[in-house]
Amino acid sequence: MTDIHRRYGRPYLVPLGLSLLVLAVFTIYLPGLRGGFVFDDYPNIVLNRALHVTSLEWRDWIAAVFSSNAGRLQRPLAMLTFAAQHYFTGLDPEPMKLANIAIHAVNALLVFGLCRALLRATGADDSTRISASALIMASLWALMPINLMGVLFIVQRMESLSHLFVFAGLWLYIEGRERQRQGRSGWWHVFAGMVGCGALGALCKESAVLLPLYSLAVEILLFRFRAADGTRDRKLLLFYVVTLFLPAIAAIAWLLPKAMAPEAYARRDFDLGDRLLTQPRVLLDYLRWTVAPNLSELSLFHDDYPASRAPFSPPSPLPAMALLVALAFAAFRWRFRRPLFGLGVAWFFAAQALTATFIPLELVFEHRNYFASVGVAIALVDLLLPRTADANRFRIGMSIAAMMALFYAGMTFLRANEWRNPLAFAYTEAAKHPTSPRATYHLAQVFVILSKQQKGSPLTDAAFAALENARKVPGSGILPEQGLLLLAAQSGQPLKDEWWTQMIEKLRSRPIGPQERGALASLNDCAIAHRCQFPPGQMLAVFEAALSRGDDIEVLNVYGNYALNILHDPDLAEAIARDICRRAPGNPQYRENLIRLLIAFGKYDEASAQISLLRASGRFGSNETRADAMQERLDRAKTR
């Protein structure tokens, strides 16, 4: 019996190792449970009223499932999990984060099974060595700090849950191909993995559509489209034509014209050329943050990442391009000698096919590496472990990999500790990114919440100082000015003209996005609730500036609300509501707003007609609860 078998061959070691891995995942992430909601959690979960189900009425659940505006498919499976947690535990972030940790732990087990299947597919026949290698691959991946965003950033359950099905799908695919290579039936495994798991993953997040691309890399590097008799399997080639190439061509034909349109990047401070030039630097940073993480660089907010505007102008993308090409060349050169290294590199690049190409997304987000980091872990371990049965070299490689896993675990634990409470998180993010508009405003926002707008409170003074600092950060939007106006109005302090002036200038000179819409809505809500006494002239100037770049529907909606409740101009409010419904006929909230106005104005017949349109526009009856509520409101108005 070899030394490897003596050391790793005990049958209970693999279950023990997996149990310890799951325990390690929970242990290192537990400090971050109290971090609260942040950033995109608010529009997707906290402020998403449709998601806050409190009954078992099926129509409420349908509305919750299709309440996301984050993607074309609306990510219904992920939204269902959020709705279920709200039903049982309310709007409490801790159970939601605990569920995310559990998903990550399950994914670690799936990655172990996937890596073991890959090792077997390379022709390795030492089951003990295979299990040990797969366990260290899964451990490296599960403990990598770069994956924290997919765990503690609550809304990114969409990413981790989507990849639960991606990992399972790839595992099924490999098992199916192994069966086929052995002359047995494996098509059910292939179809279940690619089609079944791919569809379920896409219902969580669109990232899962890359599953066929990942399996194609496996096919090219390991199975080479061979059937049991060694000939090329034409059915498999046709399978990829149908499941990958034709959909990819259709997707590119649909997305590329949209990305090339002038308005595609209207809300960004970079254009398509800048994005394509910047992404090589981004990918190299992703790789560096994955392999050699630095706590001072890992962050939720990367909106201060400098874009590359030209090939030779700083920051130049050329060195990053050269290093990435060298990495790809090494993977190609060693594709036969070290196929798993080649596969890991291929997976790293393939995972960026949606987010690092021409689609007009933001430049940098760490959670985009949730699958890419699997490729990195596989490539690292394949380089560390010998291809021969040399026990000493295997032991040295395993020791180095184990030390890396311990290092990653420690770094992830420290990073999770940064999320221990909202203030600690905000301080840390602002310290890491002092020129980030989002990070600096987030710190100010936390101070505002803690101050409770009490005049003379040290926390209120700190909130004013933090907002003023955020206002001076290059590229900051109107959120700091909005925050200053709200804080001053609610704490009984004077409203400075410069806040209004700078807000109006920014609205006239920059595109309107979610932050601007949210800021205007907050100002309007405070005015309507009589907590803030804003001069109507200034508010009208703000709305005029916001609409000067085009009739943004949500801005119009806020303006209509202001016209009704502050200007007391019902005709203007009704005209705006009708125009909004004409522009966005499928939005149930806008139509509900119009129905409320029609009922209030005594236009009952038209209100009834709009209720019918509201019912008809809901998918699978998702608008029935809204429509019933409006019908009850109409009936009560008629009886009065």
Side-chain angles (χ1 to χ4, degrees), residues 11 22 26 42 67 98 136 278 281 304 324 339 347 398 401 424 432 441 448-449 462 503 639:
V22 171
F26 276 92
Y42 284 96
S67 64
L98 192 60
I136 200 66
T278 306
R281 293 175 37 239
D304 56 346
L324 293 176
W347 275 2
M398 287 292 288
K432 290 180 181 181
Y441 176 73
V448 170
I449 294 171
M503 177 184 288
T639 58

Side-chain angles (χ1 to χ4, degrees), residues 19 27 94 151 198 243 285 287 305 313 324 350 436 452 504 543-544 574 582 599 622:
S19 300
T27 301
E94 287 191 40
V151 182
T243 60
D285 280 337
L287 192 59
Y305 196 91
S313 299
L324 293 176
S436 161
K452 299 180 180 179
I504 290 169
F543 283 118
E544 181 184 355
E574 182 182 344
R582 180 182 60 81
I599 294 173
S622 59

